[in-house]
Amino acid sequence: MGNIESELYKLIDNTQDYIQYGMISDRKLPEMMLKKEVPDSLEKIAGEVAQCSRCRLCEKRKNVVPGIGVLNPDVLVVGEGPGGDEDIQGLPFVGRAGQYLDKWLDAIGLSRHTNCFIGNVVKCRPPMNRDPQPDEIASCLPYLERQIAIIKPKFILTVGRISSAVLAGQEAGIGRLRGRTYSFRGIPLIPTYHPSAVLRDPSLRKPVWDDLRRLKAELEEIKNVH
Ligand code: URA
């Protein structure tokens, strides 16, 4: 039976089902009418984020900041949320703290251009750079979870109290959280201080350097195994 003919029979069959039962079984729908699942992608997520109004942070944003970097990165760096410079440019960690973060990464052979992905717990700037609120984090976190499932980082580096507590699943300050390796969806996670905090308090440089060295060592270990 020709293709058109068989599709026609299905259509007649469907029409009879619809008249008799008020519904059509998916099994009988012509191939072309079945809804195809579009695979998730970073572009799809970025598109959804651009339209997002799940929380109040959408009201004052200039741009969304979905994140940037490479697929299958050695490290995914997760910050708290965009600041003023990031809000203007739509890119994460591009202000003073971001430039300092780039130096940290460079010191251990990492870069957002070659082997890292950089993102945030919330994708829109909290007004006056206040902390993102728990409901804002809860609304935005599914985007980061989907991004992580796609990019598949070998390691996660959380910078600052908020991203560290959220992804490590621990309610504690960063001073107590750091120094250990946690796991997020099976991916090893190292928390450290936020670069802005270290710019304000140089005594935090030493613990950050300890965390970065440990990250490098654990990353090498993973790469040697695989
Ligand atoms: N601070 C963050 O936590 N994220 C950014 O993107 C910029 C500053």
Side-chain angles (χ1 to χ4, degrees), residues 88-225:
I88 290 169
Q89 295 190 39
L91 295 168
F93 281 102
V94 287
R96 194 159 164 250
Q99 287 160 23
Y100 191 32
L101 173 68
D102 283 339
K103 286 193 180 143
W104 294 3
L105 297 177
D106 185 53
I108 53 168
L110 299 172
S111 153
R112 66 174 80 198
H113 303 293
T114 55
N115 52 12
C116 286
F117 194 98
I118 315 238
N120 279 300
V121 163
V122 296
K123 316 283 190 216
C124 300
R125 182 191 185 191
M128 314 292 290
N129 298 341
R130 66 157 170 76
D131 287 352
Q133 302 300 297
D135 63 321
E136 295 159 356
I137 294 173
S139 306
C140 211
L141 203 56
Y143 293 128
L144 181 63
E145 289 176 329
R146 283 167 61 195
Q147 288 175 313
I148 293 175
I150 293 166
I151 67 172
K152 300 187 172 46
K154 294 186 187 67
F155 233 99
I156 298 175
L157 175 71
T158 49
V159 294
R161 172 178 57 88
I162 294 192
S163 61
S164 299
V166 167
L167 295 193
Q170 310 269 331
E171 269 194 41
I174 184 63
R176 294 199 54 190
L177 283 179
R178 61 158 296 279
R180 274 185 52 194
T181 303
Y182 300 82
S183 165
F184 179 80
R185 310 274 189 272
I187 304 162
L189 179 155
I190 285 186
T192 196
Y193 290 102
H194 194 284
S196 308
V198 189
L199 284 170
R200 284 195 303 270
D201 179 358
S203 76
L204 301 177
R205 281 186 205 159
K206 164 82 172 61
V208 166
W209 182 234
D210 290 344
D211 294 335
L212 293 176
R213 267 199 319 224
R214 196 160 56 80
L215 169 65
K216 184 176 163 61
E218 292 193 23
L219 190 59
E220 294 302 326
E221 227 171 87
I222 290 183
K223 284 173 147 184
N224 286 338
V225 172

